[in-house]
Amino acid sequence: MALTIVLKVDPRKIDIEAIDLAASYIRRGRLVAFPTETVYGLGCNALSSDAARRVYEAKGRPPDNPLIVHISDFDMLYLVAREVPEKALKLAKRLWPGPLTLVLPKSDRVPPEVTAGLETVAVRMPAHPVAMALIERAGTPIAAPSANPSGRPSPTKAEHVLRDLSFKADIVIDGGETIYGLESTILNLLGSVPVLLRPGAYPVEVLEELLGEKIHVPEFAKGFGDAPRALAPGMKHRHYAPSTPLVLFECSEYDGPHSPCLEKLVNAILAFLKDVSGRPCIVASEETAKAYRDVGARVLVIGSRANLYEVAKRLFEVLRKLDEIGCDVALMEGYPDRGLGLAIMNRARKASVRRVVVS
Ligand code: TXA
Ligand code: MG
């Protein structure tokens, strides 16, 4: 039977011996799960075909879904990317290390298994001391998808990785809870117009300001439908899904935390509850939670509408919790598609089985 070594590493006081052990596993083509500022990744040597194949197998990941390559300095960037357009370099220099992934022309050093046969490679420099130390000490870029079985909610704690992928990772580095709780923003700057491939921890509005131009946000990046394979392979509609069927309630428009639509949204959830059989759970915000008192549903408060950072950080944990506490159906409130809200709604729409829009 395979065993998983668990190494506890405090991000504020890096245990370099533990990191060196994990780094030696990476160099030998083994799998190491590690924390980043976004979610936990299941890492392998990004220059090894065999190691990459192991990652796909461990996650049950379709072979057409490429991996993100994590680097710790700009020399590694030029090792994995054939060229870096000026616009991309400028943004990387401003925001790395940080939760921004850039799609770039790939170098010959990156095997096709990592990029699912594409001529481009997705690259980011993670803003997490454990991730950075691991890449540095391994001395090689690390390819890492989120450390969850394909299609399921992403892990924000080491215990999630151990529960979901136990024995599939050779080492799990437990560096505590991740910071943002949802994945990096993926941007393609190779065409004439910047295109958002996945909203994430850096909001589009911030990136537009730094770029000085508009970013195109396709429907699939909002969480609607599958992405065209040529642009964003493997970005399937259904993803991040708990086993509990999730029904998402959204306003066609929101205008502030006390918008009249929010009240209608709450009423729509209350009306829906009347027809639900089994054990309903409601994923509510701090502002609305009291409306669901005494309606016979378990209420999970995800955070405040005034602080979407909090909602983003708790999202995957709440989705996992729905399964743990045995909800038969979950009803979740939506958030505006602005700032972090876009990333939250992308995940929530992909995780849901049904969407109810209130206007
Ligand atoms: O925050 C994150 O990005 C986390 C942590 C671990 O760094 N990683 C992550 O990886 O979210 P994953 O595998 O769950 O999502 C990576 C996505 C893929 O689904 C794919 O759509 C996109 O990145 N991707 C990778 N390479 C690409 C490429 N060459 N062109 C377009 N999209 C690409
Ligand atoms: Mg993922």
PDB file of all heavy atoms in Angstrom, residues 59 146 148 183 239, ligand 2:
ATOM      1  N   LYS A  59      -5.668  12.567 -10.197  1.00  0.00           N
ATOM      2  CA  LYS A  59      -6.870  13.407 -10.138  1.00  0.00           C
ATOM      3  C   LYS A  59      -8.032  12.834 -10.941  1.00  0.00           C
ATOM      4  O   LYS A  59      -9.148  13.332 -10.843  1.00  0.00           O
ATOM      5  CB  LYS A  59      -6.547  14.786 -10.733  1.00  0.00           C
ATOM      6  CG  LYS A  59      -5.947  15.757  -9.741  1.00  0.00           C
ATOM      7  CD  LYS A  59      -5.824  17.139 -10.363  1.00  0.00           C
ATOM      8  CE  LYS A  59      -7.128  17.754 -10.798  1.00  0.00           C
ATOM      9  NZ  LYS A  59      -7.586  18.889 -10.019  1.00  0.00           N
ATOM     10  N   SER A 146      -5.177  22.117  -9.140  1.00  0.00           N
ATOM     11  CA  SER A 146      -5.712  22.091  -7.779  1.00  0.00           C
ATOM     12  C   SER A 146      -5.758  20.622  -7.323  1.00  0.00           C
ATOM     13  O   SER A 146      -6.024  19.726  -8.118  1.00  0.00           O
ATOM     14  CB  SER A 146      -7.093  22.728  -7.748  1.00  0.00           C
ATOM     15  OG  SER A 146      -7.902  22.214  -8.789  1.00  0.00           O
ATOM     16  N   ASN A 148      -7.589  18.362  -6.042  1.00  0.00           N
ATOM     17  CA  ASN A 148      -8.885  17.728  -5.791  1.00  0.00           C
ATOM     18  C   ASN A 148      -9.146  16.716  -6.899  1.00  0.00           C
ATOM     19  O   ASN A 148      -8.607  16.871  -7.991  1.00  0.00           O
ATOM     20  CB  ASN A 148     -10.002  18.786  -5.809  1.00  0.00           C
ATOM     21  CG  ASN A 148      -9.907  19.673  -7.046  1.00  0.00           C
ATOM     22  OD1 ASN A 148      -9.055  20.546  -7.127  1.00  0.00           O
ATOM     23  ND2 ASN A 148     -10.757  19.415  -8.023  1.00  0.00           N
ATOM     24  N   GLU A 183      -9.097  30.000  -6.975  1.00  0.00           N
ATOM     25  CA  GLU A 183      -7.922  29.916  -7.838  1.00  0.00           C
ATOM     26  C   GLU A 183      -7.498  31.246  -8.468  1.00  0.00           C
ATOM     27  O   GLU A 183      -8.228  32.229  -8.429  1.00  0.00           O
ATOM     28  CB  GLU A 183      -8.191  28.901  -8.966  1.00  0.00           C
ATOM     29  CG  GLU A 183      -8.394  27.474  -8.505  1.00  0.00           C
ATOM     30  CD  GLU A 183      -9.838  27.155  -8.170  1.00  0.00           C
ATOM     31  OE1 GLU A 183     -10.645  28.102  -8.014  1.00  0.00           O
ATOM     32  OE2 GLU A 183     -10.177  25.971  -8.072  1.00  0.00           O
ATOM     33  N   HIS A 239     -18.218  21.694 -12.751  1.00  0.00           N
ATOM     34  CA  HIS A 239     -16.947  21.675 -12.040  1.00  0.00           C
ATOM     35  C   HIS A 239     -17.207  22.115 -10.604  1.00  0.00           C
ATOM     36  O   HIS A 239     -18.265  22.634 -10.324  1.00  0.00           O
ATOM     37  CB  HIS A 239     -16.004  22.682 -12.714  1.00  0.00           C
ATOM     38  CG  HIS A 239     -14.556  22.329 -12.559  1.00  0.00           C
ATOM     39  ND1 HIS A 239     -13.796  21.865 -13.584  1.00  0.00           N
ATOM     40  CD2 HIS A 239     -13.735  22.366 -11.482  1.00  0.00           C
ATOM     41  CE1 HIS A 239     -12.564  21.646 -13.157  1.00  0.00           C
ATOM     42  NE2 HIS A 239     -12.503  21.935 -11.882  1.00  0.00           N
TER      43      HIS A 239
HETATM   44 MG    MG B   2      -8.984  22.867 -10.492  1.00  0.00          MG
END
